Amino acid sequence: VNAVPMVNLGPDTLVCDDKPFVLQASGSGNAQLLWSDGSAGKSLSATQAGTYWVRASNGRCIDTDSMTLSLRECIVFKTFTPNAFSPDGNSSNETFRPYLNENVRVTAYELQVFDRWGNQAFRSTDLNTGWDGFVRGEKSPQGVYIYWFRIEYVDDKGPGNALLRGEVTLLR
């Protein structure tokens, strides 16, 4: 006498689209498995969204389970930092600041900008506040400035941090 097979794929799942998701058939014991794609292993590697099913059988007894797999674009830390800006009042490129994927959760941030003599021209801990080209209410001269920013964040890969440095040209 064979035991009644039982199979479980778990709940419907939402995952990143950056790598295959492996569905595992649990509780199947010695039953023979048949997946929705015709394969017969203990697991199935899925790369597309959809509903997947597995059937466990041991002769006359059958159990089936299914799950719906949904995919979304993976949220990863990426940054873009302009190499020039022109705070001239035309509403375009008015401030200097780094830009990053808006879905990344920022846990700490600091931006500093220095003139060519190493004097601090700007500092902010607010990701949405950029340098407007002024130092203590005075227009900074056109030229190349050094910046660095430190950021701590959480994306789909987990917690991370970065220290990025570079040059930005202030155009008047």
Side-chain angles (χ1 to χ4, degrees):
V1 175
N2 292 332
V4 175
M6 296 182 69
V7 67
N8 184 358
L9 291 178
D12 293 347
T13 304
L14 173 66
V15 297
C16 282
D17 62 0
D18 65 336
K19 60 185 174 188
F21 180 77
V22 178
L23 289 83
Q24 298 283 344
S26 65
S28 57
N30 291 329
Q32 291 185 345
L33 299 175
L34 177 65
W35 290 90
S36 49
D37 71 346
S39 63
K42 285 267 190 197
S43 63
L44 176 71
S45 182
T47 58
Q48 296 181 343
T51 300
Y52 294 85
W53 57 261
V54 63
R55 181 172 52 213
S57 66
N58 62 1
R60 297 177 67 198
C61 298
I62 295 173
D63 188 31
T64 302
D65 193 24
S66 66
M67 61 115 33
T68 299
L69 180 66
S70 301
L71 303 177
R72 67 167 171 79
E73 185 177 339
C74 201
I75 299 169
V76 294
F77 174 76
K78 292 180 188 171
T79 185
F80 166 73
T81 308
N83 60 5
F85 75 114
S86 57
D88 53 11
N90 71 355
S91 300
S92 179
N93 299 318
E94 294 297 308
T95 60
F96 167 75
R97 70 178 183 87
Y99 297 89
L100 55 119
N101 181 331
E102 65 188 31
N103 294 319
V104 170
R105 185 168 52 95
V106 175
T107 56
Y109 168 83
E110 181 180 16
L111 167 65
Q112 292 195 41
V113 179
F114 301 90
D115 65 20
R116 63 182 173 177
W117 297 282
N119 300 310
Q120 187 179 69
F122 178 77
R123 179 181 179 276
S124 176
T125 57
D126 178 1
L127 182 63
N128 296 310
T129 300
W131 182 39
D132 62 3
F134 284 77
V135 175
R136 291 180 286 288
E138 300 286 324
K139 280 186 177 180
S140 296
Q142 179 169 305
V144 176
Y145 291 78
I146 305 300
Y147 71 85
W148 66 259
F149 75 92
R150 177 187 57 80
I151 188 165
E152 295 175 16
Y153 59 88
V154 178
D155 64 10
D156 283 336
K157 295 180 180 180
N161 62 70
L163 175 62
L164 299 160
R165 305 169 197 174
E167 299 175 350
V168 61
T169 301
L170 169 61
L171 301 171
R172 294 271 180 210

XYZ file of all heavy atoms in Angstrom, residues 5-9 23-44 53-59 61-65:
280
model
N 0.238 10.638 -1.873
C 1.269 11.675 -2.053
C 0.716 13.049 -1.703
O -0.483 13.319 -1.864
C 1.609 11.582 -3.536
C 0.394 11.029 -4.176
C -0.232 10.112 -3.144
N 1.587 13.894 -1.182
C 1.233 15.284 -0.894
C 2.358 16.146 -1.455
O 3.532 15.815 -1.303
C 1.069 15.502 0.599
C -0.084 14.705 1.189
S -0.302 15.013 2.953
C -0.887 16.678 2.928
N 2.006 17.228 -2.091
C 3.008 18.115 -2.673
C 2.602 19.559 -2.383
O 1.414 19.884 -2.346
C 3.174 17.861 -4.190
C 1.938 18.241 -4.973
C 4.390 18.562 -4.735
N 3.626 20.404 -2.149
C 3.364 21.799 -1.802
C 4.421 22.672 -2.470
O 5.619 22.436 -2.299
C 3.408 21.972 -0.282
C 3.041 23.377 0.151
O 2.787 24.244 -0.675
N 3.017 23.592 1.444
N 3.983 23.681 -3.216
C 4.899 24.641 -3.838
C 5.020 25.932 -3.047
O 5.815 26.798 -3.391
C 4.438 24.975 -5.263
C 4.565 23.850 -6.272
C 4.034 24.301 -7.628
C 6.006 23.396 -6.380
N 11.591 26.728 -8.053
C 10.427 26.193 -7.347
C 10.807 24.822 -6.803
O 11.384 24.005 -7.532
C 9.240 26.049 -8.298
C 8.562 27.331 -8.775
C 9.285 27.938 -9.939
C 7.137 27.025 -9.153
N 10.496 24.571 -5.545
C 10.808 23.299 -4.895
C 9.506 22.591 -4.543
O 8.640 23.184 -3.906
C 11.598 23.537 -3.601
C 12.936 24.194 -3.790
C 13.996 23.227 -4.298
O 13.835 22.017 -4.240
N 15.082 23.782 -4.807
N 9.408 21.346 -4.932
C 8.237 20.532 -4.574
C 8.535 19.862 -3.237
O 9.382 18.978 -3.160
C 7.971 19.495 -5.650
N 7.871 20.299 -2.182
C 8.121 19.691 -0.874
C 6.989 18.742 -0.500
O 5.867 18.870 -0.969
C 8.263 20.790 0.193
O 7.048 21.480 0.343
N 7.325 17.781 0.356
C 6.333 16.835 0.874
C 5.953 15.738 -0.080
O 4.981 15.029 0.143
N 6.697 15.552 -1.165
C 6.299 14.571 -2.175
C 6.754 13.155 -1.855
O 6.319 12.201 -2.503
C 6.827 14.991 -3.548
O 8.229 15.132 -3.509
N 7.644 12.986 -0.864
C 8.110 11.651 -0.499
C 8.724 10.935 -1.681
O 9.562 11.488 -2.386
N 8.289 9.697 -1.925
C 8.823 8.913 -3.043
C 7.950 9.008 -4.292
O 8.123 8.223 -5.223
C 8.961 7.444 -2.632
C 10.058 7.274 -1.598
O 11.030 8.021 -1.606
N 9.887 6.306 -0.716
N 7.024 9.932 -4.307
C 6.112 10.055 -5.445
C 6.863 10.522 -6.690
O 7.892 11.194 -6.604
C 4.993 11.026 -5.117
N 6.328 10.173 -7.840
C 6.860 10.672 -9.103
C 6.273 12.053 -9.354
O 5.074 12.266 -9.165
C 6.503 9.734 -10.236
C 7.225 8.415 -10.169
C 6.928 7.554 -11.380
O 5.991 7.808 -12.128
N 7.731 6.525 -11.567
N 7.140 12.974 -9.785
C 6.705 14.349 -10.015
C 6.627 14.647 -11.500
O 7.458 14.180 -12.280
C 7.674 15.328 -9.354
C 7.819 15.217 -7.837
C 8.896 16.168 -7.338
C 6.499 15.502 -7.145
N 5.636 15.451 -11.873
C 5.499 15.945 -13.232
C 5.178 17.427 -13.151
O 4.182 17.821 -12.538
C 4.385 15.209 -13.987
C 4.132 15.720 -15.409
C 5.354 15.460 -16.301
C 2.874 15.095 -15.990
N 6.048 18.259 -13.733
C 5.873 19.714 -13.712
C 5.087 20.172 -14.939
O 4.998 19.476 -15.939
C 7.238 20.400 -13.688
C 7.962 20.231 -12.389
C 8.819 19.226 -12.046
C 7.867 21.086 -11.251
N 9.274 19.408 -10.771
C 8.719 20.541 -10.256
C 7.167 22.252 -10.963
C 8.875 21.132 -9.005
C 7.339 22.844 -9.720
C 8.168 22.291 -8.760
N 4.611 21.393 -14.865
C 3.828 21.987 -15.947
C 4.595 22.059 -17.264
O 3.991 22.113 -18.326
C 3.331 23.379 -15.545
O 4.381 24.162 -15.015
N 5.926 22.056 -17.230
C 6.713 22.086 -18.465
C 7.085 20.692 -18.961
O 7.818 20.550 -19.933
C 7.983 22.924 -18.282
C 9.010 22.253 -17.379
O 8.671 21.276 -16.677
O 10.168 22.712 -17.381
N 6.614 19.635 -18.264
C 6.892 18.269 -18.679
C 8.105 17.654 -17.998
O 8.379 16.467 -18.186
N 8.855 18.414 -17.218
C 10.030 17.860 -16.537
C 9.599 17.058 -15.311
O 8.441 17.125 -14.882
C 11.001 18.977 -16.146
O 10.406 19.866 -15.221
N 10.555 16.309 -14.729
C 10.185 15.374 -13.673
C 11.082 15.464 -12.431
O 11.051 14.571 -11.608
C 10.216 13.949 -14.212
N 11.874 16.503 -12.240
C 12.768 16.610 -11.086
C 12.068 17.129 -9.837
O 10.877 17.437 -9.837
N 12.842 17.255 -8.758
C 12.312 17.768 -7.484
C 12.127 19.284 -7.515
O 11.488 19.854 -6.652
C 13.275 17.432 -6.343
C 13.230 15.997 -5.919
C 12.262 15.877 -4.792
C 12.357 14.504 -4.153
N 11.191 14.233 -3.356
N 12.734 19.950 -8.520
C 12.642 21.408 -8.605
C 12.501 21.837 -10.063
O 12.755 21.064 -10.987
C 13.877 22.054 -7.974
O 15.032 21.683 -8.684
N 12.101 23.085 -10.229
C 11.936 23.666 -11.558
C 12.487 25.081 -11.510
O 12.146 25.858 -10.619
C 10.454 23.685 -11.956
C 10.121 24.356 -13.287
C 10.621 23.499 -14.446
C 8.626 24.584 -13.405
N 2.616 24.454 -12.058
C 2.026 23.395 -11.265
C 2.929 22.182 -11.260
O 3.787 22.024 -12.124
C 0.618 23.027 -11.738
C 0.498 22.595 -13.174
C 0.102 23.372 -14.225
C 0.776 21.300 -13.717
N 0.118 22.647 -15.386
C 0.529 21.364 -15.108
C 1.215 20.092 -13.186
C 0.700 20.275 -15.952
C 1.388 18.998 -14.024
C 1.122 19.096 -15.384
N 2.739 21.357 -10.248
C 3.439 20.083 -10.156
C 2.430 19.033 -9.696
O 1.556 19.319 -8.870
C 4.656 20.141 -9.211
C 4.251 20.435 -7.786
C 5.481 18.864 -9.295
N 2.550 17.848 -10.272
C 1.668 16.741 -9.898
C 2.528 15.626 -9.309
O 3.523 15.219 -9.917
C 0.887 16.232 -11.099
C -0.064 15.093 -10.747
C -0.981 14.696 -11.883
N -0.222 14.434 -13.099
C -0.668 14.685 -14.323
N -1.861 15.202 -14.496
N 0.067 14.401 -15.373
N 2.153 15.147 -8.139
C 2.838 14.023 -7.490
C 1.925 12.815 -7.581
O 0.737 12.897 -7.261
C 3.135 14.352 -6.034
N 2.502 11.685 -8.044
C 1.675 10.475 -8.143
C 2.486 9.260 -7.697
O 3.706 9.227 -7.828
C 1.161 10.283 -9.565
O 2.226 10.014 -10.439
N 1.776 8.284 -7.158
C 2.414 7.015 -6.771
C 1.519 5.850 -7.200
O 1.109 5.035 -6.399
C 2.714 6.968 -5.277
C 1.467 7.044 -4.439
O 0.356 7.123 -4.969
N 1.628 7.011 -3.134
N 1.215 5.848 -8.433
C 0.325 4.813 -8.946
C -1.053 5.404 -9.183
O -1.247 6.211 -10.072
N -2.860 7.212 -6.799
C -3.125 8.431 -6.014
C -2.320 9.601 -6.565
O -1.150 9.466 -6.917
C -2.774 8.199 -4.551
S -3.755 6.911 -3.787
N -2.977 10.770 -6.625
C -2.365 11.967 -7.212
C -2.657 13.165 -6.315
O -3.754 13.296 -5.767
C -2.936 12.240 -8.622
C -2.564 11.110 -9.574
C -2.440 13.571 -9.165
C -3.233 11.219 -10.931
N -1.667 14.055 -6.196
C -1.860 15.354 -5.550
C -1.233 16.398 -6.466
O -0.192 16.153 -7.086
C -1.216 15.396 -4.161
C -1.581 16.666 -3.394
O -2.697 17.196 -3.604
O -0.754 17.135 -2.584
N -1.852 17.550 -6.555
C -1.358 18.625 -7.412
C -1.357 19.929 -6.630
O -2.243 20.184 -5.807
C -2.267 18.791 -8.660
O -2.312 17.555 -9.359
C -1.740 19.874 -9.584
N -0.351 20.745 -6.877
C -0.305 22.091 -6.298
C 0.188 23.038 -7.380
O 0.901 22.635 -8.313
C 0.619 22.148 -5.082
C 0.444 23.447 -4.291
O -0.641 24.061 -4.386
O 1.386 23.859 -3.586
